mmCIF file of all heavy atoms in Angstrom:
data_model
loop_
_atom_site.group_PDB
_atom_site.id
_atom_site.type_symbol
_atom_site.label_atom_id
_atom_site.label_comp_id
_atom_site.label_asym_id
_atom_site.label_seq_id
_atom_site.Cartn_x
_atom_site.Cartn_y
_atom_site.Cartn_z
ATOM 1 N N GLN L 1 20.875 -8.139 22.122
ATOM 2 C CA GLN L 1 20.303 -7.719 23.403
ATOM 3 C C GLN L 1 20.854 -6.355 23.790
ATOM 4 O O GLN L 1 22.035 -6.087 23.641
ATOM 5 C CB GLN L 1 20.644 -8.735 24.491
ATOM 6 C CG GLN L 1 20.014 -10.110 24.243
ATOM 7 C CD GLN L 1 20.384 -11.083 25.347
ATOM 8 O OE1 GLN L 1 21.256 -10.807 26.147
ATOM 9 N NE2 GLN L 1 19.704 -12.208 25.366
ATOM 10 N N ALA L 2 19.956 -5.529 24.297
ATOM 11 C CA ALA L 2 20.390 -4.208 24.738
ATOM 12 C C ALA L 2 21.144 -4.313 26.048
ATOM 13 O O ALA L 2 20.974 -5.255 26.812
ATOM 14 C CB ALA L 2 19.173 -3.299 24.911
ATOM 15 N N ARG L 3 21.979 -3.325 26.284
ATOM 16 C CA ARG L 3 22.725 -3.302 27.541
ATOM 17 C C ARG L 3 21.789 -3.050 28.718
ATOM 18 O O ARG L 3 22.037 -3.482 29.821
ATOM 19 C CB ARG L 3 23.795 -2.212 27.482
ATOM 20 C CG ARG L 3 24.900 -2.494 26.478
ATOM 21 C CD ARG L 3 25.989 -1.470 26.603
ATOM 22 N NE ARG L 3 26.987 -1.623 25.575
ATOM 23 C CZ ARG L 3 27.992 -2.481 25.625
ATOM 24 N NH1 ARG L 3 28.112 -3.272 26.661
ATOM 25 N NH2 ARG L 3 28.860 -2.560 24.641
ATOM 26 N N LYS L 4 20.711 -2.314 28.459
ATOM 27 C CA LYS L 4 19.768 -1.986 29.518
ATOM 28 C C LYS L 4 18.440 -2.679 29.271
ATOM 29 O O LYS L 4 18.030 -2.880 28.143
ATOM 30 C CB LYS L 4 19.547 -0.467 29.580
ATOM 31 C CG LYS L 4 20.810 0.320 29.862
ATOM 32 C CD LYS L 4 20.512 1.806 29.896
ATOM 33 C CE LYS L 4 21.774 2.608 30.155
ATOM 34 N NZ LYS L 4 21.502 4.058 30.184
ATOM 35 N N LYS L 5 17.747 -3.021 30.325
ATOM 36 C CA LYS L 5 16.438 -3.642 30.204
ATOM 37 C C LYS L 5 15.418 -2.602 29.769
ATOM 38 O O LYS L 5 15.594 -1.404 29.936
ATOM 39 C CB LYS L 5 16.023 -4.259 31.545
ATOM 40 C CG LYS L 5 16.932 -5.406 31.983
ATOM 41 C CD LYS L 5 16.476 -5.985 33.307
ATOM 42 C CE LYS L 5 17.390 -7.123 33.742
ATOM 43 N NZ LYS L 5 16.965 -7.679 35.044
ATOM 44 N N ASP L 6 14.305 -3.113 29.241
ATOM 45 C CA ASP L 6 13.279 -2.200 28.720
ATOM 46 C C ASP L 6 12.783 -1.230 29.780
ATOM 47 O O ASP L 6 12.577 -0.043 29.499
ATOM 48 C CB ASP L 6 12.097 -3.009 28.174
ATOM 49 C CG ASP L 6 12.490 -3.790 26.933
ATOM 50 O OD1 ASP L 6 13.587 -3.539 26.395
ATOM 51 O OD2 ASP L 6 11.699 -4.643 26.515
ATOM 52 N N ASP L 7 12.578 -1.726 30.992
ATOM 53 C CA ASP L 7 12.025 -0.832 32.014
ATOM 54 C C ASP L 7 13.027 0.236 32.440
ATOM 55 O O ASP L 7 12.675 1.218 33.078
ATOM 56 C CB ASP L 7 11.554 -1.623 33.241
ATOM 57 C CG ASP L 7 12.652 -2.468 33.854
ATOM 58 O OD1 ASP L 7 13.788 -2.455 33.329
ATOM 59 O OD2 ASP L 7 12.380 -3.147 34.849
ATOM 60 N N GLU L 8 14.296 0.048 32.057
ATOM 61 C CA GLU L 8 15.301 1.041 32.370
ATOM 62 C C GLU L 8 15.345 2.145 31.324
ATOM 63 O O GLU L 8 16.039 3.131 31.472
ATOM 64 C CB GLU L 8 16.684 0.380 32.476
ATOM 65 C CG GLU L 8 16.785 -0.574 33.653
ATOM 66 C CD GLU L 8 18.097 -1.326 33.674
ATOM 67 O OE1 GLU L 8 18.718 -1.474 32.599
ATOM 68 O OE2 GLU L 8 18.500 -1.760 34.763
ATOM 69 N N LYS L 9 14.617 1.966 30.249
ATOM 70 C CA LYS L 9 14.577 2.958 29.183
ATOM 71 C C LYS L 9 13.609 4.094 29.505
ATOM 72 O O LYS L 9 13.510 5.070 28.782
ATOM 73 C CB LYS L 9 14.153 2.292 27.860
ATOM 74 C CG LYS L 9 15.220 1.415 27.233
ATOM 75 C CD LYS L 9 16.376 2.250 26.733
ATOM 76 C CE LYS L 9 17.387 1.372 25.986
ATOM 77 N NZ LYS L 9 18.517 2.166 25.509
ATOM 78 N N ASP L 10 12.849 3.937 30.553
ATOM 79 C CA ASP L 10 11.955 4.988 31.009
ATOM 80 C C ASP L 10 10.916 5.362 29.948
ATOM 81 O O ASP L 10 10.589 6.531 29.742
ATOM 82 C CB ASP L 10 12.748 6.237 31.402
ATOM 83 C CG ASP L 10 11.887 7.216 32.212
ATOM 84 O OD1 ASP L 10 10.943 6.753 32.889
ATOM 85 O OD2 ASP L 10 12.144 8.424 32.137
ATOM 86 N N ARG L 11 10.432 4.327 29.227
ATOM 87 C CA ARG L 11 9.368 4.580 28.272
ATOM 88 C C ARG L 11 8.025 4.419 29.003
ATOM 89 O O ARG L 11 7.853 3.568 29.864
ATOM 90 C CB ARG L 11 9.471 3.614 27.098
ATOM 91 C CG ARG L 11 10.711 3.893 26.239
ATOM 92 C CD ARG L 11 10.717 2.995 25.020
ATOM 93 N NE ARG L 11 11.790 3.387 24.104
ATOM 94 C CZ ARG L 11 13.033 2.969 24.215
ATOM 95 N NH1 ARG L 11 13.379 2.170 25.190
ATOM 96 N NH2 ARG L 11 13.950 3.383 23.367
ATOM 97 N N LYS L 12 7.090 5.219 28.583
ATOM 98 C CA LYS L 12 5.812 5.251 29.307
ATOM 99 C C LYS L 12 5.019 3.966 29.090
ATOM 100 O O LYS L 12 4.551 3.339 30.029
ATOM 101 C CB LYS L 12 4.998 6.456 28.856
ATOM 102 C CG LYS L 12 5.650 7.796 29.221
ATOM 103 C CD LYS L 12 4.796 8.956 28.741
ATOM 104 C CE LYS L 12 5.441 10.290 29.112
ATOM 105 N NZ LYS L 12 4.656 11.452 28.641
ATOM 106 N N GLN L 13 4.870 3.527 27.853
ATOM 107 C CA GLN L 13 4.065 2.329 27.604
ATOM 108 C C GLN L 13 4.305 1.845 26.177
ATOM 109 O O GLN L 13 4.760 2.589 25.328
ATOM 110 C CB GLN L 13 2.579 2.619 27.804
ATOM 111 C CG GLN L 13 2.051 3.753 26.931
ATOM 112 C CD GLN L 13 0.593 4.053 27.212
ATOM 113 O OE1 GLN L 13 -0.009 3.424 28.077
ATOM 114 N NE2 GLN L 13 0.028 4.995 26.484
ATOM 115 N N TYR L 14 3.982 0.576 25.958
ATOM 116 C CA TYR L 14 4.074 -0.017 24.631
ATOM 117 C C TYR L 14 2.710 -0.617 24.315
ATOM 118 O O TYR L 14 2.516 -1.826 24.374
ATOM 119 C CB TYR L 14 5.159 -1.106 24.574
ATOM 120 C CG TYR L 14 6.517 -0.628 25.022
ATOM 121 C CD1 TYR L 14 7.045 -1.040 26.234
ATOM 122 C CD2 TYR L 14 7.255 0.241 24.234
ATOM 123 C CE1 TYR L 14 8.294 -0.597 26.648
ATOM 124 C CE2 TYR L 14 8.497 0.677 24.637
ATOM 125 C CZ TYR L 14 9.014 0.257 25.849
ATOM 126 O OH TYR L 14 10.244 0.697 26.257
ATOM 127 N N THR L 15 1.749 0.206 24.068
ATOM 128 C CA THR L 15 0.383 -0.274 23.828
ATOM 129 C C THR L 15 -0.077 0.122 22.442
ATOM 130 O O THR L 15 0.299 1.163 21.910
ATOM 131 C CB THR L 15 -0.603 0.315 24.855
ATOM 132 O OG1 THR L 15 -0.583 1.744 24.750
ATOM 133 C CG2 THR L 15 -0.232 -0.105 26.269
ATOM 134 N N VAL L 16 -0.902 -0.742 21.877
ATOM 135 C CA VAL L 16 -1.508 -0.499 20.569
ATOM 136 C C VAL L 16 -2.997 -0.795 20.692
ATOM 137 O O VAL L 16 -3.383 -1.835 21.240
ATOM 138 C CB VAL L 16 -0.885 -1.407 19.485
ATOM 139 C CG1 VAL L 16 -1.567 -1.186 18.133
ATOM 140 C CG2 VAL L 16 0.604 -1.149 19.367
ATOM 141 N N SER L 17 -3.817 0.101 20.183
ATOM 142 C CA SER L 17 -5.263 -0.120 20.246
ATOM 143 C C SER L 17 -5.650 -1.309 19.393
ATOM 144 O O SER L 17 -4.911 -1.704 18.475
ATOM 145 C CB SER L 17 -6.000 1.132 19.763
ATOM 146 O OG SER L 17 -5.778 1.319 18.381
ATOM 147 N N GLU L 18 -6.801 -1.867 19.660
ATOM 148 C CA GLU L 18 -7.252 -3.064 18.936
ATOM 149 C C GLU L 18 -7.389 -2.785 17.441
ATOM 150 O O GLU L 18 -6.956 -3.584 16.597
ATOM 151 C CB GLU L 18 -8.579 -3.546 19.508
ATOM 152 C CG GLU L 18 -9.044 -4.864 18.874
ATOM 153 C CD GLU L 18 -10.310 -5.389 19.520
ATOM 154 O OE1 GLU L 18 -10.697 -4.872 20.582
ATOM 155 O OE2 GLU L 18 -10.892 -6.319 18.950
ATOM 156 N N SER L 19 -7.971 -1.642 17.081
ATOM 157 C CA SER L 19 -8.155 -1.318 15.662
ATOM 158 C C SER L 19 -6.812 -1.086 14.984
ATOM 159 O O SER L 19 -6.602 -1.494 13.834
ATOM 160 C CB SER L 19 -9.038 -0.076 15.526
ATOM 161 O OG SER L 19 -8.405 1.045 16.149
ATOM 162 N N MET L 20 -5.914 -0.435 15.692
ATOM 163 C CA MET L 20 -4.587 -0.203 15.144
ATOM 164 C C MET L 20 -3.849 -1.530 14.942
ATOM 165 O O MET L 20 -3.163 -1.733 13.938
ATOM 166 C CB MET L 20 -3.791 0.711 16.070
ATOM 167 C CG MET L 20 -2.350 0.973 15.618
ATOM 168 S SD MET L 20 -2.262 1.831 14.043
ATOM 169 C CE MET L 20 -2.932 3.424 14.528
ATOM 170 N N HIS L 21 -4.004 -2.438 15.905
ATOM 171 C CA HIS L 21 -3.361 -3.741 15.820
ATOM 172 C C HIS L 21 -3.815 -4.488 14.569
ATOM 173 O O HIS L 21 -3.003 -5.101 13.863
ATOM 174 C CB HIS L 21 -3.674 -4.558 17.077
ATOM 175 C CG HIS L 21 -2.997 -5.906 17.086
ATOM 176 N ND1 HIS L 21 -3.571 -7.030 16.547
ATOM 177 C CD2 HIS L 21 -1.767 -6.287 17.545
ATOM 178 C CE1 HIS L 21 -2.739 -8.051 16.684
ATOM 179 N NE2 HIS L 21 -1.646 -7.617 17.303
ATOM 180 N N LYS L 22 -5.108 -4.435 14.264
ATOM 181 C CA LYS L 22 -5.631 -5.126 13.086
ATOM 182 C C LYS L 22 -5.037 -4.546 11.806
ATOM 183 O O LYS L 22 -4.646 -5.282 10.887
ATOM 184 C CB LYS L 22 -7.147 -5.028 13.054
ATOM 185 C CG LYS L 22 -7.849 -5.861 14.119
ATOM 186 C CD LYS L 22 -9.353 -5.715 14.009
ATOM 187 C CE LYS L 22 -10.059 -6.559 15.069
ATOM 188 N NZ LYS L 22 -11.539 -6.416 14.979
ATOM 189 N N LYS L 23 -4.954 -3.222 11.738
ATOM 190 C CA LYS L 23 -4.430 -2.584 10.534
ATOM 191 C C LYS L 23 -2.934 -2.847 10.364
ATOM 192 O O LYS L 23 -2.451 -3.095 9.253
ATOM 193 C CB LYS L 23 -4.702 -1.092 10.583
ATOM 194 C CG LYS L 23 -6.192 -0.766 10.457
ATOM 195 C CD LYS L 23 -6.442 0.723 10.558
ATOM 196 C CE LYS L 23 -7.948 1.025 10.433
ATOM 197 N NZ LYS L 23 -8.241 2.471 10.545
ATOM 198 N N LEU L 24 -2.218 -2.799 11.465
ATOM 199 C CA LEU L 24 -0.779 -3.078 11.375
ATOM 200 C C LEU L 24 -0.522 -4.527 10.988
ATOM 201 O O LEU L 24 0.406 -4.824 10.220
ATOM 202 C CB LEU L 24 -0.098 -2.752 12.702
ATOM 203 C CG LEU L 24 0.023 -1.265 13.051
ATOM 204 C CD1 LEU L 24 0.603 -1.105 14.451
ATOM 205 C CD2 LEU L 24 0.891 -0.529 12.041
ATOM 206 N N THR L 25 -1.349 -5.428 11.506
ATOM 207 C CA THR L 25 -1.212 -6.845 11.157
ATOM 208 C C THR L 25 -1.488 -7.047 9.672
ATOM 209 O O THR L 25 -0.768 -7.792 8.987
ATOM 210 C CB THR L 25 -2.172 -7.697 11.991
ATOM 211 O OG1 THR L 25 -1.881 -7.526 13.384
ATOM 212 C CG2 THR L 25 -2.045 -9.168 11.623
ATOM 213 N N ALA L 26 -2.507 -6.381 9.160
ATOM 214 C CA ALA L 26 -2.822 -6.490 7.736
ATOM 215 C C ALA L 26 -1.671 -5.950 6.882
ATOM 216 O O ALA L 26 -1.297 -6.524 5.849
ATOM 217 C CB ALA L 26 -4.109 -5.731 7.425
ATOM 218 N N ALA L 27 -1.103 -4.819 7.315
ATOM 219 C CA ALA L 27 0.022 -4.235 6.579
ATOM 220 C C ALA L 27 1.233 -5.151 6.607
ATOM 221 O O ALA L 27 1.934 -5.323 5.602
ATOM 222 C CB ALA L 27 0.375 -2.878 7.170
ATOM 223 N N LEU L 28 1.475 -5.770 7.775
ATOM 224 C CA LEU L 28 2.613 -6.678 7.906
ATOM 225 C C LEU L 28 2.454 -7.892 6.999
ATOM 226 O O LEU L 28 3.403 -8.311 6.328
ATOM 227 C CB LEU L 28 2.764 -7.124 9.366
ATOM 228 C CG LEU L 28 3.914 -8.100 9.653
ATOM 229 C CD1 LEU L 28 5.252 -7.476 9.265
ATOM 230 C CD2 LEU L 28 3.915 -8.500 11.115
ATOM 231 N N GLU L 29 1.245 -8.459 6.955
ATOM 232 C CA GLU L 29 1.001 -9.621 6.086
ATOM 233 C C GLU L 29 1.210 -9.250 4.621
ATOM 234 O O GLU L 29 1.772 -10.025 3.835
ATOM 235 C CB GLU L 29 -0.410 -10.149 6.311
ATOM 236 C CG GLU L 29 -0.590 -10.808 7.681
ATOM 237 C CD GLU L 29 -2.043 -11.196 7.942
ATOM 238 O OE1 GLU L 29 -2.918 -10.812 7.123
ATOM 239 O OE2 GLU L 29 -2.297 -11.876 8.968
ATOM 240 N N ALA L 30 0.771 -8.048 4.239
ATOM 241 C CA ALA L 30 0.961 -7.603 2.860
ATOM 242 C C ALA L 30 2.447 -7.429 2.542
ATOM 243 O O ALA L 30 2.913 -7.783 1.447
ATOM 244 C CB ALA L 30 0.206 -6.292 2.631
ATOM 245 N N LEU L 31 3.204 -6.904 3.500
ATOM 246 C CA LEU L 31 4.645 -6.749 3.296
ATOM 247 C C LEU L 31 5.332 -8.100 3.128
ATOM 248 O O LEU L 31 6.185 -8.265 2.255
ATOM 249 C CB LEU L 31 5.267 -6.005 4.487
ATOM 250 C CG LEU L 31 5.087 -4.487 4.550
ATOM 251 C CD1 LEU L 31 5.634 -3.947 5.866
ATOM 252 C CD2 LEU L 31 5.785 -3.818 3.380
ATOM 253 N N GLN L 32 4.938 -9.055 3.974
ATOM 254 C CA GLN L 32 5.552 -10.379 3.897
ATOM 255 C C GLN L 32 5.265 -11.057 2.568
ATOM 256 O O GLN L 32 6.076 -11.834 2.068
ATOM 257 C CB GLN L 32 5.052 -11.245 5.058
ATOM 258 C CG GLN L 32 5.578 -10.786 6.414
ATOM 259 C CD GLN L 32 4.932 -11.535 7.569
ATOM 260 O OE1 GLN L 32 3.803 -12.022 7.460
ATOM 261 N NE2 GLN L 32 5.652 -11.623 8.674
ATOM 262 N N GLU L 33 4.121 -10.774 1.974
ATOM 263 C CA GLU L 33 3.738 -11.355 0.686
ATOM 264 C C GLU L 33 4.151 -10.471 -0.483
ATOM 265 O O GLU L 33 3.803 -10.736 -1.635
ATOM 266 C CB GLU L 33 2.228 -11.593 0.652
ATOM 267 C CG GLU L 33 1.771 -12.634 1.675
ATOM 268 C CD GLU L 33 0.241 -12.716 1.768
ATOM 269 O OE1 GLU L 33 -0.434 -12.010 0.990
ATOM 270 O OE2 GLU L 33 -0.250 -13.486 2.605
ATOM 271 N N GLU L 34 4.886 -9.385 -0.168
ATOM 272 C CA GLU L 34 5.370 -8.431 -1.165
ATOM 273 C C GLU L 34 4.239 -7.789 -1.953
ATOM 274 O O GLU L 34 4.386 -7.419 -3.129
ATOM 275 C CB GLU L 34 6.378 -9.087 -2.118
ATOM 276 C CG GLU L 34 7.630 -9.578 -1.410
ATOM 277 C CD GLU L 34 8.671 -10.133 -2.365
ATOM 278 O OE1 GLU L 34 8.425 -10.085 -3.591
ATOM 279 O OE2 GLU L 34 9.718 -10.620 -1.897
#
């Protein structure tokens, strides 16, 4: 756990577009299956 909460990091947003999400999910599944 970080010492500071996420909202204290002053990051603008943590968003991923729908198309990007699909591609990242596909890449992650491929990595998990080597």
